[in-house]
Amino acid sequence: MITTLHRPLPRTLVLVGLMGAGKTAVGKRVAARLGLSFIDADHEIEAAAGCTIPDIFQRYGEPAFRDLERRVIARLMHDPVQVLSTGGGAFMDPQTREVVDEHGLSVWLKAELSVLAARTAKRSNRPLLRQGDPKAVLEGLMERRHPIYALADMTVESRDGPVEETVDRVLAAIDTHLAAEAAATEATHAPAGHTD
């Protein structure tokens, strides 16, 4: 079992994925293992707005929420290295993806529809799931969002089972990614061989 990384996390770790993928549960445990702060972007958005996300949707609409989300995440990406959980739609925004790509490391927590449906059924604070049959809504979101989530630096399966197993997979993926980054950097800075 991996408890820490072989090298320090150089940039903020950003968890992306659909609602119910386990971004908060996994993020908190990854942060604890790495001795870093855990930040939930949705909580930061609610603090900035002074009301809940369902209230923002209801009063001002989704575009206003997305604008606030974009600004809050951009601010958080300039904080010291931490673990950041984002809302399901955050990574869909091109400006947010650009900021995350430039200042962070992104992990897509990818879960099956059955897992997402079971997990989200336990919570009633999901504005998008109130727009019809929750499973059908999730299926539609998967079709639209999965190709964008796939742009994340890493993809980790979030399966039904102990959260710690997903945490281990995330840490292993980060280790592999950082090792590849280090190797690529070394290759770029290696002195060119002499040719006569």
Side-chain angles (χ1 to χ4, degrees):
M1 184 171 97
I2 297 169
T3 48
T4 55
L5 300 176
H6 289 100
R7 43 176 61 79
L9 192 66
R11 303 182 292 286
T12 288
L13 184 70
V14 182
L15 299 174
V16 305
L18 282 172
M19 58 188 96
K23 299 182 299 275
T24 301
V26 171
K28 282 179 177 174
R29 286 168 175 83
V30 167
R33 293 255 203 115
L34 299 179
L36 295 171
S37 299
F38 171 77
I39 304 289
D40 185 317
D42 283 353
H43 291 171
E44 295 294 313
I45 291 162
E46 290 182 338
C51 61
T52 67
I53 287 172
D55 284 344
I56 301 169
F57 266 77
Q58 197 176 351
R59 288 182 204 168
Y60 310 108
E62 188 174 352
F65 168 74
R66 295 298 172 201
D67 180 56
L68 180 59
E69 179 178 59
R70 184 184 307 119
R71 286 183 285 131
V72 167
I73 291 173
R75 172 175 57 79
L76 293 170
M77 292 308 298
H78 290 91
D79 285 351
V81 173
Q82 58 196 351
V83 176
L84 176 65
S85 164
T86 62
F91 203 63
M92 300 302 290
D93 182 84
Q95 288 172 269
T96 297
R97 278 201 309 280
E98 200 175 305
V99 168
V100 168
D101 193 43
E102 194 176 334
H103 300 285
L105 283 171
S106 51
V107 175
W108 171 25
L109 287 183
K110 184 180 183 184
E112 297 293 328
L113 178 61
S114 57
V115 173
L116 295 174
R119 289 177 183 168
T120 53
K122 299 170 192 166
R123 307 270 298 274
S124 61
N125 62 340
R126 313 278 191 182
L128 291 177
L129 293 186
R130 293 182 190 160
Q131 298 172 8
D133 170 48
K135 204 164 183 178
V137 171
L138 280 168
E139 209 165 2
L141 288 170
M142 288 173 92
E143 283 174 23
R144 288 195 304 278
R145 293 180 176 180
H146 277 194
I148 303 296
Y149 292 155
L151 300 172
D153 295 315
M154 296 157 266
T155 299
V156 173
E157 294 288 333
S158 177
R159 301 182 195 127
D160 214 2
V163 177
E164 292 301 328
E165 289 179 7
T166 304
V167 172
D168 287 338
R169 284 194 291 275
V170 168
L171 291 169
I174 296 167
D175 241 1
T176 302
H177 184 83
L178 292 179
E181 263 190 4
T185 303
E186 278 174 33
T188 317
H189 294 97
H194 293 294
T195 52
D196 290 325

